[in-house]
Amino acid sequence: MNLGPNPGQVLCAFCHEGLDSDDPDDDPLVPIETGRAKQHYAHENCIWWCPDVWQDKDLKWQNVGKALSRCHRLKCAVCGEGDAPLGCKRAACRKNWHYPCAMEPTTGLVILEDEFCVACPACNELLIRRVRKKHLTPRPHPHPHPHPQPNPNP
């Protein structure tokens, strides 16, 4: 059990926070299988927004242990703590966040809810420019010199 400063308090393996005292039903801590002997827990939102995990047909989370190992060395750009799995949509960006930190309005992050990812403001602008450029640049015809078709009536 991941214990916090108060004995008996269960903490999220990703964001290191306990139950939300305002409304614990809004984002409950759920047990997760990590492949380790110690029982771990995660907020539902923290695990949904972790890019390396998925649910199988039985709705059991998969790849959680590997995701925790990967993000253990990743520091959050907001709070500076480790285990920050949520990276910027632009792969070249090196920033990471915990889910609760990323959702803070003061970060200025662009929240892409339908993709379960975020983009920092500078990278979001770059991604938008790339899309615009891609759509404005004339594309060559896939076959600029089509092969002559054989005459069906020789």
Side-chain angles (χ1 to χ4, degrees):
M1 187 179 303
N2 191 1
L3 298 177
N6 300 325
Q9 181 184 13
V10 177
L11 298 179
C12 176
F14 291 100
C15 74
H16 308 206
E17 293 183 7
L19 290 172
D20 182 355
S21 59
D22 296 335
D23 187 1
D25 293 330
D26 191 37
D27 192 16
L29 278 166
V30 295
I32 52 174
E33 296 293 326
T34 62
R36 300 174 187 149
K38 181 177 155 182
Q39 177 64 64
H40 286 82
Y41 297 85
H43 291 107
E44 283 187 347
N45 280 327
C46 290
I47 199 157
W48 270 108
W49 284 74
C50 182
D52 302 325
V53 300
W54 65 90
Q55 284 183 310
D56 64 15
K57 61 182 172 90
D58 299 322
L59 302 180
K60 209 173 164 194
W61 290 105
Q62 300 296 312
N63 205 45
V64 177
K66 286 183 181 180
L68 279 171
S69 293
R70 179 193 70 85
C71 71
H72 185 67
R73 64 185 181 278
L74 302 175
K75 304 285 185 211
C76 178
V78 173
C79 72
E81 290 187 31
D83 300 316
L86 189 55
C88 181
K89 181 175 179 168
R90 184 173 158 256
C93 183
R94 308 300 295 165
K95 293 179 183 170
N96 292 281
W97 302 270
H98 299 110
Y99 169 80
C101 295
M103 296 303 135
E104 286 292 324
T106 57
T107 64
L109 294 174
V110 177
I111 311 299
L112 304 161
E113 289 186 29
D114 55 332
E115 299 177 49
F116 289 96
C117 69
V118 298
C120 61
C123 290
N124 188 58
E125 287 301 317
L126 181 63
L127 293 169
I128 289 171
R129 284 196 304 270
R130 283 183 184 167
V131 168
R132 284 185 193 144
K133 184 177 179 182
K134 191 176 189 179
H135 290 303
L136 294 176
T137 305
R139 297 183 194 178
H141 189 273
H143 302 287
H145 304 290
H147 300 289
Q149 294 294 323
N151 187 350
N153 299 322

